[in-house]
Amino acid sequence: MKKIAVLTSGGDAPGMNAAIRAVVRKAIYHDMEIYGIKNGYQGLIDGNIEKLEIGSVGDIIQRGGTILHSARCEEFKTDAGQEKGIKQLKNHGVEGLIVIGGDGSFRGAQKLTEKGYPCIGVPGTIDNDIPGTDFTIGFDTALNTIINAIDKIRDTATSHERTFIIEVMGRDAGDLALYAGLADGAESILIPEQKDDFQDVLNRLKRGHDRGKKHSIIILAEGVGSAVTYGEKIREAMNIEPRVTVLGHIQRGGSPSATDRVLASRLGAKAVDLLLEGQADRMVGIQQNQLVDHDIGDILNKKHIINLDMYKLSKELSI
Ligand code: F6P
């Protein structure tokens, strides 16, 4: 394999640039030509493809976002869209593709592989919702962004003796909420994997109030519902005026943490190795600090499992 390409797709995640850098440098190290596709699968359809050199990825390891830009592309879910993409790859003589993104991005990669284009997936999403890897690129940075925000909110929550409900991202996964709650000693955590725990939140609030504790932090994963709605429910049930903070896209930005930079560098380089070995339809991951790879089809058929022992622990520690 002499010519490969890389794209980022779906929601951006801090560390994607470090992964792009690793792919580009590893490919050049192995005397391959490497092309960058801009705007994800939309850019592939449009032929937004350019050759990358060593210098193209200089000074990006510390930058958030993705220099290749990203998009969610409906057209690529269709046969016609995929055929257009394949035509562009053929025009550029590209023999293999590395896709950095989440499960939606891997579905596209799987389709291309089925149609004869070897693809390798690199898990990049703040949600940490991909099976087959302990962590996804961007999760650690987003978690640290959340922690910084909650630390600040806690100051004012304590001063004013208020209850705060903080909504964090994660799509259908509760990992960001769970890790943030444990790291920040939140009084309650609401995650989609344990939806029916609202009564427990109320009980905890009541218990706290009875022993004179007037402030509390409740972290709500967006997959459970809206923090505004839950704020209303708490106001009605407890006769208090909780404050609501939706952290939003601040969680997706910022310079990647050291952990994310190292993870992205290892996963990006591994993806190039797999293409060189003649592999296709694989997703790289990290499990127990070892690089692994899995069949993309298997990954797409599985569900990410949250660590419920950690959830139990968070309850035990925030009595
Ligand atoms: O998948 C990453 C993510 O940030 C999710 O946590 C969130 O639900 C979604 O993307 C937001 O998407 P958009 O940027 O399109 O609003």
Side-chain angles (χ1 to χ4, degrees), residues 5-183:
V6 57
L7 63 78
T8 48
S9 160
D12 63 349
M16 278 185 164
N17 279 329
I20 296 167
R21 173 182 176 272
V23 168
V24 170
R25 295 273 167 96
K26 191 76 194 264
I28 294 173
Y29 176 82
H30 285 295
D31 293 324
M32 288 193 280
E33 279 185 29
I34 170 85
Y35 288 76
I37 300 169
K38 283 218 164 152
N39 297 333
Y41 290 116
Q42 188 59 54
L44 179 57
I45 290 173
D46 300 340
N48 200 344
I49 302 175
E50 64 184 44
K51 192 164 178 235
L52 299 174
E53 310 290 350
I54 296 175
S56 314
V57 291
D59 202 23
I60 67 165
I61 197 167
Q62 78 286 10
R63 280 166 53 191
T66 156
I67 60 160
L68 292 177
H69 299 193
S70 192
R72 293 192 170 98
C73 176
E74 284 303 311
E75 190 182 353
F76 202 73
K77 292 181 183 159
T78 66
D79 252 343
Q82 291 151 20
E83 291 304 334
K84 281 187 199 165
I86 287 176
K87 206 169 155 209
Q88 295 289 0
L89 289 170
K90 281 188 180 154
N91 286 347
H92 286 82
V94 171
E95 300 157 283
L97 178 65
I98 293 175
V99 173
I100 305 169
D103 55 357
S105 314
F106 296 159
R107 269 177 237 286
Q110 191 186 33
K111 289 288 174 201
L112 285 178
T113 308
E114 272 169 28
K115 291 174 189 247
Y117 261 93
C119 291
I120 304 291
V122 177
T125 162
I126 64 164
D127 300 335
N128 207 40
D129 60 349
I130 311 283
T133 186
D134 293 341
F135 295 104
T136 56
I137 296 166
F139 173 70
D140 183 68
T141 308
L143 179 59
N144 280 292
T145 302
I146 295 170
I147 300 303
N148 285 332
I150 298 176
D151 286 349
K152 292 184 172 113
I153 290 170
R154 192 177 271 288
D155 288 343
T156 177
T158 313
S159 304
H160 285 266
E161 300 189 330
R162 276 174 172 156
T163 293
F164 270 80
I165 307 170
I166 301 160
E167 182 182 314
V168 302
M169 282 187 169
R171 237 174 14 155
D172 299 325
D175 286 54
L176 280 173
L178 174 58
Y179 279 71
L182 198 50

